[in-house]
Amino acid sequence: MTRILLTLICVSLAARAAQGQEGLKPEDILGHDTEISLLQAVELGLEYNLTLDVVRNDPALARERVNEAEGVYDPLLLGRFNQTHIETPVASSLQSFFGTSGNRTTDNGLLYNGGLLGVLPWGPSYSSGYTFQRLNSNSGLTSLKPQYTSGWTNSLTVPLLRGLYWSTPDLLVRRTTVGQQISDATFTSQLADGVFLVESTYWQLAAARAFERATAKGVDTAKDLLEQTKVQYQVGTVSKVLVTQAEAGVAQRESDYIVALNAAKRAQDILLSAILAPSGISDYSTTTVRTEEPTFLPYEIDPEQSVQKARANRSELMASQLQVEDADIQKKYAWNQTLPQFDVGASYTMNGLSGTQKVPAGTPRLGLAVPGPGNDLNNPIIPVVPQPDFGFGTSRWSANRGYFDGEGFHSWTFGANFSYPLGNESADSRYIQRKIELRRAKTTLRRTEQDIILDVRTAVRELQSAIDRVKAAERARVASEETLAAEQERLRLGDSTPHNVLLFQEGLLRAEGNEINARQVYRTAISALERAQGTLLEARGISVEKERDRGMDEY
C-alpha cells in the first residue's frame, strides 16, 4: 500500500512539473532568476527560435505549390453574352420578293453561351458548351420571327503517344508533390539541427554555471586559507611572506571567478538567443538562467545499430532519395516527349430550332413575274405556294426539344492528328540530359549515404571518447581532492606552506573544470549521436507535423 501511495505521489508531482514546463513563457525568464530544464529549453526553442520560424514557412509554401499545380485540373467555367443590332442595305429584288420592306434588313440578336473545359490527369482534354441565340430579322429570307437556335457540343481529345500519362500538367503535379516531400524532409533536418543547437548551448551554459560555482568555492577556500594564515602569523608560527602569498591566492581565485562569471553570462546570452525572440530587449543583465547539472547518464553504444538507424531515419538521406525520384520523373517525361504526337478526338453536337412564322401556314404568296416578251406580269413564272409549317415549335424553349430523343438533330465527328519532327534532335537531346541528371542524382545519393555513415561513426567515437574522458576526469578530480586534503592537513601540522596549498587548490580547480567540461562534452555527444542517427526528435518526443504546422493556422 505504501509503494502504491508513493507511486501516486510521484506521478502527481511529475504531472505538475510537466504543467509548469508547458506554461513557461519568455516573460517568466527575462528579468528574473529562473531555473529551466533541458526539456523546457527545447520547447522554448521550438516555439520562439527565429531560425526555425523562418524555415517553418518552407513546407507550407511547398504544400501551396502542390495545390497550385493540381489546380490545373480544375474545370474552367465559361460564359458569354452578346447583343447585336445589324442593319444591311438591300438592293435585291429577291429580298423584296420574299417580304423585305424598305432598302435595308435589320437583325437584332441575343447570344448566350456557357460551358466547361479542362484537362484530366494522364493527358485527356475535354469541353462541353451550350449556346442559345435569339434573332429578330425583317429579312424575307428568314421564315421565323423571332427565331431561336440552340446547340450543345461535347468534345474529348486523348493523346495516345506523346502526352499520355506524361503531359505537362502531370509533370508539374508530380514534381511539386516530390518537392513538398523534399521540403518536409529538409525541414525535419533543420528542426533536428535546431534542437541540437538548443541542447548543445544548454549544456555549455550548464558547464559554465558549474565552473562558476567551482571558482566561487575556490574563492571561499582561498579566503579560509588566508584567515588561517593570518592567525598563524599573529601567533608567530609563519612569516609575513606567507600571508602575502595567501592574499595573492585570494586575488587569483577572485580573478578566476570573474572570468568564469563572464563566460557563464556569454553562454547564457547564446542560449537565450537560441530559445527566445524578445522584441525591444537588448540587455540580459537582469536575467539569470540556471540549468540542470551536466551529470553522467549511462548510454548504450552499438555502432552497427546506429548505422542502421541512420539509414532508416536520416531525413537528409530521404531528401536525397527524393531528388533521385524527381530526376527519374523528368527522365520519363523527356522520354515520352520523344514519341510522335498522335491524338484522337471526338465530338457530339445536338442542335435545336424554334420560332414564330412570319406568315401563317396556308397564306398564298405571289410568285415572281419577270417582265419581258411573252410574260404577263399578272401570271408569275414562279407559282404561288403556301408558306410551309416547319413544326419546330414557337416558344424559345422549343429549341431544346429532341436533345435526348431520336427526333432531335444530332451530329458527331471523330478524327486523329499525327505529327513527328524529322530527326527529333531537340527531344532526344533533352532525354539524354535527363538521363545524365538522373545518374548524377544517384551518385549524390550514394555520397550522402557515405557521409551519413561517416557522421555516425564519428559520433560514436566521440561519445565513447567522452565516456572515457568523464571517467578519467572523475578519477583525477578525486585524486586532486585527496592530495589537497592531505596538503591542508600538513599545513595544519606545520609541515607545509599556504603557497603549496594554493598550488594544490589550483590543481583541484583544473581537475573540476576538466570534469565539468568532460560531462558537458558527454551530454552534447549523446545529442550529436542521436542527431547522426536521425532519432533526436523521436527521443525528445517532438512531433514533426506539429512543429511544421505551428503558427500556420492564420493561413
Side-chain angles (χ1 to χ4, degrees):
M1 185 66 182
T2 303
R3 291 182 179 179
I4 296 177
L5 182 60
L6 289 175
T7 302
L8 292 176
I9 292 175
C10 292
V11 171
S12 177
L13 292 175
R16 291 183 180 181
Q19 292 176 357
Q21 290 180 1
E22 292 177 358
L24 196 61
K25 301 295 182 183
E27 54 268 24
D28 300 328
I29 298 175
L30 297 175
H32 302 283
D33 187 336
T34 311
E35 181 176 351
I36 63 175
S37 66
L38 176 64
L39 294 180
Q40 285 176 314
V42 170
E43 178 60 30
L44 287 168
L46 293 175
E47 186 168 0
Y48 297 105
N49 184 272
L50 292 178
T51 301
L52 288 180
D53 197 42
V54 170
V55 301
R56 190 175 280 114
N57 296 302
D58 295 338
L61 288 173
R63 288 196 298 273
E64 293 307 317
R65 291 191 188 102
V66 173
N67 294 334
E68 178 186 4
E70 291 178 343
V72 73
Y73 299 129
D74 295 340
L76 180 62
L77 178 64
L78 302 174
R80 185 163 63 100
F81 168 76
N82 276 344
Q83 182 173 2
T84 59
H85 174 82
I86 302 174
E87 294 183 357
T88 306
V90 173
S92 170
S93 299
L94 183 63
Q95 285 277 12
S96 300
F97 169 74
F98 281 104
T100 302
S101 59
N103 61 354
R104 72 189 65 189
T105 61
T106 303
D107 298 329
N108 293 307
L110 288 175
L111 175 67
Y112 304 90
N113 178 265
L116 297 171
L117 62 85
V119 296
L120 297 172
W122 295 17
S125 59
Y126 63 91
S127 66
S128 178
Y130 174 78
T131 302
F132 182 84
Q133 185 173 12
R134 186 188 72 178
L135 176 64
N136 277 323
S137 177
N138 66 348
S139 173
L141 299 178
T142 60
S143 299
L144 303 177
K145 184 180 181 180
Q147 175 177 292
Y148 304 105
T149 57
S150 67
W152 185 15
T153 302
N154 300 277
S155 65
L156 178 67
T157 302
V158 180
L160 297 183
L161 292 176
R162 186 193 305 171
L164 178 62
Y165 189 72
W166 289 105
S167 65
T168 301
D170 290 327
L171 173 68
L172 182 61
V173 171
R174 287 187 177 94
R175 291 201 64 197
T176 53
T177 301
V178 173
Q180 178 192 357
Q181 297 171 348
I182 293 175
S183 180
D184 289 342
T186 302
F187 172 73
T188 301
S189 175
Q190 293 170 329
L191 182 63
D193 289 340
V195 173
F196 176 73
L197 173 65
V198 171
E199 293 196 1
S200 61
T201 54
Y202 180 89
W203 291 122
Q204 287 175 4
L205 176 58
R209 290 290 186 209
F211 192 68
E212 174 192 349
R213 291 190 294 271
T215 55
K217 181 181 176 182
V219 171
D220 294 337
T221 303
K223 288 181 178 180
D224 292 340
L225 179 61
L226 175 59
E227 293 299 323
Q228 180 181 354
T229 306
K230 286 181 178 180
V231 172
Q232 291 177 337
Y233 171 71
Q234 291 173 357
V235 298
T237 58
V238 297
S239 65
K240 179 65 176 179
V241 175
L242 297 182
V243 175
T244 303
Q245 291 177 347
E247 290 175 345
V250 172
Q252 181 61 47
R253 298 300 170 266
E254 289 177 342
S255 176
D256 294 339
Y257 174 72
I258 292 172
V259 173
L261 182 61
N262 181 64
K265 290 181 178 180
R266 184 171 60 251
Q268 175 181 286
D269 288 348
I270 295 174
L271 176 63
L272 289 176
S273 66
I275 66 175
L276 300 179
S279 58
I281 297 178
S282 58
D283 185 13
Y284 295 146
S285 59
T286 59
T287 301
T288 300
V289 175
R290 305 192 182 279
T291 63
E292 302 173 6
E293 287 287 338
T295 55
F296 182 84
L297 297 177
Y299 191 91
E300 183 179 355
I301 300 177
D302 188 338
E304 293 301 324
Q305 188 176 7
S306 295
V307 171
Q308 293 176 4
K309 288 180 179 179
R311 284 183 171 140
N313 299 310
R314 280 290 291 266
S315 53
E316 294 89 343
L317 185 60
M318 185 180 302
S320 188
Q321 292 169 345
L322 290 169
Q323 293 286 0
V324 172
E325 182 178 348
D326 180 67
D328 186 58
I329 289 173
Q330 295 186 70
K331 187 209 74 171
K332 291 178 179 177
Y333 173 78
W335 175 83
N336 180 265
Q337 296 304 297
T338 63
L339 300 177
Q341 185 77 40
F342 182 62
D343 301 341
V344 296
S347 66
Y348 189 79
T349 303
M350 294 176 283
N351 295 309
L353 176 66
S354 67
T356 304
Q357 292 179 279
K358 294 180 180 180
V359 182
T363 301
R365 174 175 289 179
L366 294 176
L368 177 62
V370 181
N375 289 344
D376 185 356
L377 294 178
N378 293 325
N379 296 302
I381 297 174
I382 300 177
V384 176
V385 295
Q387 183 74 12
D389 183 2
F390 296 106
F392 295 131
T394 59
S395 71
R396 68 179 62 193
W397 306 117
S398 300
N400 298 322
R401 288 188 313 168
Y403 270 13
F404 302 105
D405 57 41
E407 297 180 358
F409 300 89
H410 305 271
S411 306
W412 59 268
T413 62
F414 178 81
N417 295 320
F418 177 85
S419 65
Y420 186 74
L422 297 178
N424 204 26
E425 292 183 2
S426 296
D428 291 339
S429 178
R430 284 192 293 267
Y431 176 53
I432 293 175
Q433 292 177 51
R434 301 295 92 79
K435 290 174 66 177
I436 295 173
E437 290 173 355
L438 176 60
R439 180 178 180 274
R440 181 172 59 184
K442 289 181 178 179
T443 303
T444 302
L445 172 60
R446 292 195 295 270
R447 177 60 184 271
T448 301
E449 186 175 6
Q450 288 181 349
D451 292 341
I452 288 174
I453 293 175
L454 179 60
D455 287 345
V456 173
R457 290 175 176 171
T458 301
V460 168
R461 286 195 302 270
E462 292 293 335
L463 180 55
Q464 186 61 60
S465 174
I467 293 174
D468 298 337
R469 183 179 171 185
V470 168
K471 294 178 180 178
E474 184 177 359
R475 291 195 301 270
R477 189 258 307 162
V478 171
S480 295
E481 288 178 344
E482 292 177 352
T483 55
L484 174 61
E487 194 65 23
Q488 288 174 334
E489 179 63 20
R490 291 182 61 196
L491 177 63
R492 188 183 67 83
L493 298 175
D495 295 334
S496 181
T497 64
H499 175 70
N500 292 337
V501 173
L502 287 172
L503 291 177
F504 282 105
Q505 284 182 351
E506 184 177 351
L508 176 60
L509 183 61
R510 284 197 302 269
E512 290 177 336
N514 290 336
E515 183 180 14
I516 291 169
N517 182 258
R519 292 180 185 273
Q520 177 253 322
V521 170
Y522 170 70
R523 296 301 293 265
T524 303
I526 292 177
S527 300
L529 177 57
E530 291 178 340
R531 173 69 183 93
Q533 294 175 162
T535 58
L536 179 61
L537 300 179
E538 180 183 359
R540 303 299 180 265
I542 297 172
S543 169
V544 177
E545 291 75 14
K546 175 184 175 182
E547 297 305 323
R548 183 187 61 199
D549 298 334
R550 185 193 290 267
M552 294 298 163
D553 297 339
E554 57 184 299
Y555 303 106

